[in-house]
Amino acid sequence: MLITWELGGGLGHLTPIRTLAGKLLDRGHEVCLAVRDLVSAGSLFEGLPVSYYQSPHRIEPFRPEIDPPVTYEHMLHNIGFGTEPGLNALSSAWVQIFEHCKPDAVLFEHSPVAMFAARAYGFRKAVTGTGFTVPPTPLPLIRPWMRSDESGLQAGRRRTLSMVNAVAGRFGNPPLGDLSEIYGDADVFLRTYPELDHFGRRQAACYVGIDVDDNGKKPQWPYGDGPKIFAYLKPFQGFQDAILQIHRLKLPTIVFCPGLRKEDVVNLETAYPSMLFSTELLCMNHVAVHCDVAVCHGGHGMVARMLIAGVPVVAIPLQLEQTLLSQRLAESGAGIQLAIKDVSQLGEAINHILANEKYYQNAGRMSEAYFDEAKQGSWQRIAEWVDES
């Protein structure tokens, strides 16, 4: 079994792979990993008998040719499908991995070039991820609020498709009629819920949800009365203002911010005694049971974990994927989307949630629908698929 991870950052891609790999090994399968970040994988998978490959990917940082990308095709163009020599080199590298590993089945985690390179192979294929990393067909607009010239978009699609098909021909593959066909011959396991699909609910889709576990440190909440707040924030432009807004509520609060230095933690806890700051991975099961409101940037894993525990969320998105998810959050009625420029309204948003039962009712409906399933784990159906390979 080969599991690939090509694009994206952070533990949101690796952690579900870690859970699945452990279960597959327990079931007697051999597991190989081709991952973007070998160092993080080495730490996370320590002790598991897996084989490693470095996944081929475009090296960051790079200047996107299409900026800002409006369609999913634009995004694919920017990350590797935009130049014939580059796509050919990346595809060739993936082919070398397939030839060396000789898998019976491949699970693709946000790996579009790997999926393109695998078209000629007969091994079983499946793709997994959130609604953003596993796009619907036809490929969607990713900035639907931006006005675009449809004829220009179509011309751009044709140019990219022509270049992609030139590379496909080098590998003896039939031409693509549309870029969405990259994903076309793989089974799909969406690691999300219909309410949190970045591009909206899909009919007849296989939603397997998320995993819940007890990994991480169980924090001690600061002393104090009243509802508890949990915030997962990066040291972004509005970080200090966000912290000040939460502090003014005088409610016991834990802030998880992995980018802080030790001296920053000491200074912040001295200035804001009702708040605990942590850079260590925390046990989300413990946090979700005890907190009343969560604040984050709209990352899928955090939002989903809180909502299936019945906890409403205030999301302050920093990038496109988080923005799309935050829109779904607001539409669900289980949280509030707040722009960076409006961070000064964070305290008001938290108070609004605490004072309105509808947010808890809507989050509670998600908890009733999905929590028991999440305890079983998203890996179950994927593991059964591997067993059949």
Side-chain angles (χ1 to χ4, degrees):
M1 177 69 191
L2 173 65
I3 305 175
T4 74
W5 167 41
E6 179 184 324
L7 300 175
L11 295 177
H13 298 280
L14 274 179
T15 303
I17 294 174
R18 167 61 177 81
T19 302
L20 175 63
K23 301 299 182 181
L24 293 178
L25 290 167
D26 290 342
R27 295 160 89 105
H29 297 289
E30 181 181 348
V31 177
C32 300
L33 305 174
V35 295
R36 181 182 180 91
D37 184 349
L38 284 172
V39 174
S40 294
S43 298
L44 194 62
F45 288 77
E46 185 177 11
L48 292 186
V50 299
S51 301
Y52 294 98
Y53 298 93
Q54 175 65 62
S55 73
H57 61 273
R58 187 168 181 174
I59 301 299
E60 308 279 359
F62 66 92
R63 179 177 297 174
E65 185 177 342
I66 304 174
D67 191 20
V70 177
T71 69
Y72 210 92
E73 290 93 338
H74 287 168
M75 188 175 70
L76 291 175
H77 181 103
N78 286 342
I79 56 85
F81 288 82
T83 68
E84 188 172 330
L87 180 60
N88 181 71
L90 290 170
S91 299
S92 296
W94 276 113
V95 166
Q96 292 300 312
I97 292 175
F98 299 146
E99 291 292 332
H100 188 269
C101 180
K102 293 181 170 49
D104 298 298
V106 179
L107 179 68
F108 299 94
E109 164 76 37
H110 206 6
S111 303
V113 176
M115 297 189 73
F116 171 73
R119 291 179 68 228
Y121 288 87
F123 46 67
R124 292 190 76 199
K125 303 168 187 130
V127 57
T128 186
T130 68
F132 188 82
T133 63
V134 184
T137 301
L139 295 178
L141 295 173
I142 58 175
R143 285 183 169 86
W145 54 86
M146 291 184 65
R147 298 185 62 180
S148 302
D149 173 45
E150 183 58 31
S151 62
L153 293 179
Q154 291 294 346
R157 290 187 180 105
R158 288 192 294 269
R159 285 193 299 272
T160 301
L161 187 62
S162 175
M163 187 277 303
V164 168
N165 280 333
V167 177
R170 296 186 187 184
F171 292 91
N173 291 333
L176 295 165
D178 186 86
L179 280 180
S180 64
E181 293 176 19
I182 293 167
Y183 302 89
D185 64 344
D187 294 313
V188 175
F189 298 99
L190 284 164
R191 218 168 47 248
T192 185
Y193 304 102
E195 297 88 342
L196 296 180
D197 190 327
H198 294 74
F199 298 113
R201 183 186 297 263
R202 307 177 203 188
Q203 298 300 319
C206 181
Y207 290 99
V208 298
I210 65 169
D211 298 309
V212 298
D213 56 53
D214 289 317
N215 294 332
K217 177 183 176 181
K218 294 183 179 180
Q220 294 293 322
W221 290 84
Y223 177 78
D225 297 324
K228 295 180 174 63
I229 301 170
F230 175 74
Y232 178 2
L233 298 173
K234 295 186 176 180
F236 70 110
Q237 183 179 356
F239 179 78
Q240 289 292 344
D241 196 8
I243 296 304
L244 180 60
Q245 289 294 315
I246 298 173
H247 171 69
R248 286 174 176 170
L249 299 175
K250 302 299 181 184
L251 297 175
T253 301
I254 294 175
V255 180
F256 173 56
C257 184
L260 291 179
R261 300 170 300 177
K262 289 184 178 180
E263 54 266 37
D264 294 329
V265 172
V266 172
N267 292 336
L268 286 166
E269 290 186 343
T270 300
Y272 306 113
S274 63
M275 305 173 74
L276 171 71
F277 293 82
S278 176
T279 59
E280 295 182 72
L281 183 66
L282 301 177
C283 176
M284 285 297 103
N285 281 353
H286 180 84
V287 169
V289 166
H290 291 89
C291 78
D292 298 280
V293 180
V295 180
C296 66
H297 294 302
H300 176 269
M302 181 65 187
V303 172
R305 185 64 191 85
M306 290 297 114
L307 293 191
I308 65 168
V311 180
V313 177
V314 179
I316 310 168
L318 303 181
Q319 37 95 327
L320 174 64
E321 186 175 345
Q322 295 169 346
T323 298
L324 293 171
L325 195 282
S326 298
Q327 290 174 348
R328 300 289 87 77
L329 167 69
E331 289 170 4
S332 76
I336 294 174
Q337 178 184 0
L338 204 62
I340 293 178
K341 64 180 180 63
D342 298 324
V343 166
S344 61
Q345 299 174 25
L346 177 57
E348 181 182 339
I350 293 172
N351 272 332
H352 183 72
I353 285 178
L354 290 171
N356 286 271
E357 185 62 26
K358 66 176 183 178
Y359 293 102
Y360 293 91
Q361 292 172 348
N362 291 326
R365 277 192 281 270
M366 285 198 64
S367 180
E368 291 173 8
Y370 303 124
F371 186 74
D372 287 341
E373 178 183 295
K375 287 191 293 185
Q376 299 299 318
S378 65
W379 61 268
Q380 183 69 41
R381 274 189 272 184
I382 302 175
E384 290 170 358
W385 176 87
V386 176
D387 290 341
E388 298 167 2
S389 299

